[in-house]
């Protein structure tokens, strides 16, 4: 029989990933979904169909064969894993799509396998819009037998491509994810500096944006648009929350320091993120680095 899938955590990324599992995952049974705030699960279920809202972790674990979860930070992930493992998980597969430190991933693997279950790390690259459209890049790591059972729900369903670490330690996936996110932080920091210099030097931000569109279509252009349109401070809910971006920066710097390397680009980006947090609080978005750079340079945070 086809496995019963379940999903825990319906943030910006989780909602889109669930939508694609329902629409393209060839599920034989409705997807079980759970969120601490039940209304968010109910709202999603009414939108995507073919899903069942669960109101307790024990009930979800009892019914599910494969349990995906995508949560905000390391304490939330480890707390949820402990909550899941209070129940009988023998023979089940737990799949973590969160962005956490590799050491957190390794802790999960050890705890889960000690309970006669399997673990797969499956962090993803991509913004919420890519999650919604099924264009994520999924990074898979863990025992090959478990990874092979998760692949059918990745490429062509939740994502457009897989980076495959099957047969390797699960922590390899989150190591790549954390390092990969430093590229995003550096990109946003570079764009922020460039646009502020363009404005203050008299070149003009639209002229710089034309160059970015021509030379760097894709994420660079998307973030440049978010900056110039004011989306970086107007959103009610951040696309990439400042607290999560700073968490990733801390993880990256620890990984680098342990390896005897200094990531100065991450240090600079984190300094701007601190300015975003001070100005916008929890509503701050990684793209708010533009506002922080503006403020640092004598301009208003809001453009």
């Amino acid at each position: 029989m086809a496995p019963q899938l379940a999903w825990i955590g319906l943030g910006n990324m989780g909602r889109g990933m669930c939508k694609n599992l329902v629409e393209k995952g060839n599920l034989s049974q409705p997807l079980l979904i759970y969120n601490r705030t039940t209304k968010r699960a109910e709202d999603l279920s009414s939108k995507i169909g073919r899903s069942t809202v669960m109101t307790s972790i024990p009930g979800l674990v009892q019914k599910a064969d494969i349990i995906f979860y995508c949560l905000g930070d390391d304490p939330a992930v480890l707390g949820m894993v402990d909550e899941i493992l209070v129940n009988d998980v023998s023979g089940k597969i737990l799949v973590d799509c969160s962005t956490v430190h590799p050491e957190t991933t390794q802790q999960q693997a050890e705890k889960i396998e000690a309970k006669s279950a399997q673990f797969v790390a499956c962090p993803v690259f991509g913004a919420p819009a890519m999650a919604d459209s099924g264009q994520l890049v999924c990074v898979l790591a863990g025992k090959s037998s478990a990874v092979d059972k998760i692949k059918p729900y990745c490429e062509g369903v939740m994502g457009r491509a897989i980076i495959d670490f099957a047969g390797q330690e699960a922590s390899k996936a989150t190591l790549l994810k954390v390092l990969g996110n430093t590229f995003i932080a550096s990109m946003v920091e570079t764009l922020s500096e460039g646009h502020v210099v363009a404005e203050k030097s008299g070149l003009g931000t639209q002229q710089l944006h034309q160059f970015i569109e021509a030379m760097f279509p894709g994420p660079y252009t998307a973030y440049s648009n978010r900056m110039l349109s004011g989306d970086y401070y107007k959103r009610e809910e951040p696309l990439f929350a400042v607290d999560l971006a700073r968490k990733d920066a801390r993880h990256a710097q620890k990984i680098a320091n342990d390896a005897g390397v200094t990531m100065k680009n991450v240090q600079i980006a984190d300094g701007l993120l601190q300015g975003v947090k001070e100005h916008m609080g929890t509503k701050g978005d990684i793209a708010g680095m533009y506002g922080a750079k503006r403020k640092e340079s004598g301009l208003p945070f809001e453009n």
Side-chain angles (χ1 to χ4, degrees):
M1 290 181 61
Q4 170 67 66
L5 267 62
W7 191 282
I8 298 171
L10 301 174
N12 282 338
M13 299 297 288
R15 294 195 297 271
M17 294 164 82
C18 284
K19 177 178 93 63
N20 284 292
L21 280 174
V22 167
E23 292 179 355
K24 298 180 287 187
N26 295 316
L27 306 184
S28 61
Q29 305 169 77
L31 177 68
L32 308 178
I33 58 174
Y34 173 89
N35 195 71
R36 293 288 189 199
T37 306
T38 303
K39 187 178 185 304
R40 177 170 283 188
E42 292 171 343
D43 290 347
L44 179 66
S45 183
S46 65
K47 180 180 178 181
I48 65 176
R50 288 282 293 165
S51 55
T52 301
V53 175
M54 303 299 295
T55 57
S56 76
I57 294 300
L60 179 146
V61 174
Q62 182 180 12
K63 292 183 177 182
D65 301 304
I66 299 175
I67 304 169
F68 290 86
Y69 47 100
C70 186
L71 304 172
D73 57 25
D74 299 56
V77 167
L78 290 175
M80 179 56 68
V81 168
D82 287 342
E83 195 170 343
I84 291 170
L85 295 183
V86 168
N87 307 277
D88 181 12
V89 294
S90 300
K92 301 180 188 292
I93 304 175
L94 276 63
V95 186
D96 184 16
C97 298
S98 316
T99 301
V100 295
H101 193 282
E103 291 175 357
T104 300
T105 301
Q106 188 59 32
Q107 288 181 51
Q108 292 182 75
E110 292 171 1
K111 287 183 174 185
I112 291 165
E113 289 167 5
K115 292 287 187 174
S116 301
Q118 292 182 295
F119 174 71
V120 173
C122 181
V124 297
F125 287 107
M130 294 172 70
D132 197 61
S133 61
Q135 293 298 303
L136 299 170
V137 175
C138 303
V139 187
L140 290 164
K143 289 185 169 60
S144 296
S145 58
V147 170
D148 288 344
K149 293 175 182 176
I150 304 306
K151 285 180 180 178
Y153 306 111
C154 293
E155 191 168 4
V157 180
M158 295 190 295
R160 61 181 172 83
I162 290 172
I163 299 176
D164 192 352
F165 287 102
Q168 299 187 50
E169 290 184 358
S171 58
K172 287 287 185 70
T174 41
L175 177 56
L176 177 63
K177 171 61 175 169
V178 170
L179 291 180
N181 275 8
T182 69
F183 284 65
I184 297 169
S186 297
M187 172 186 67
V188 177
E189 189 271 331
T190 298
L191 285 168
S192 299
E193 286 189 345
H195 275 308
V196 171
V197 173
E199 180 172 346
K200 297 201 72 173
S201 68
L203 172 65
T205 56
Q206 289 300 328
Q207 286 72 19
L208 180 62
H209 182 72
Q210 290 176 20
F211 159 74
I212 293 165
E213 280 187 311
M215 289 293 294
F216 306 110
Y220 275 87
T221 296
Y223 271 103
S224 181
N225 275 320
R226 292 192 63 205
M227 292 172 184
L228 299 189
S229 69
D231 180 76
Y232 69 94
Y233 66 87
K234 293 177 180 177
R235 298 187 61 85
E236 285 300 314
E237 184 179 11
L239 290 179
F240 191 160
V242 62
D243 288 341
L244 300 184
R246 297 201 72 195
K247 175 259 297 179
D248 292 351
R250 289 193 300 272
H251 287 342
Q253 290 184 84
K254 183 179 186 305
I255 290 167
N257 290 339
D258 290 347
V261 182
T262 300
M263 298 190 80
K264 293 184 178 179
N265 58 327
V266 179
Q267 293 173 359
I268 294 169
D270 190 49
L272 291 177
L273 288 168
Q274 182 177 349
V276 177
K277 176 71 173 182
E278 291 169 357
H279 189 86
M280 296 196 67
T282 57
K283 289 179 63 176
D285 185 282
I286 192 173
M289 278 198 263
Y290 176 46
K293 190 65 185 181
R294 288 172 57 84
K295 192 172 181 179
E296 178 188 284
S297 304
L299 299 170
F301 186 96
E302 293 81 7
N303 63 356

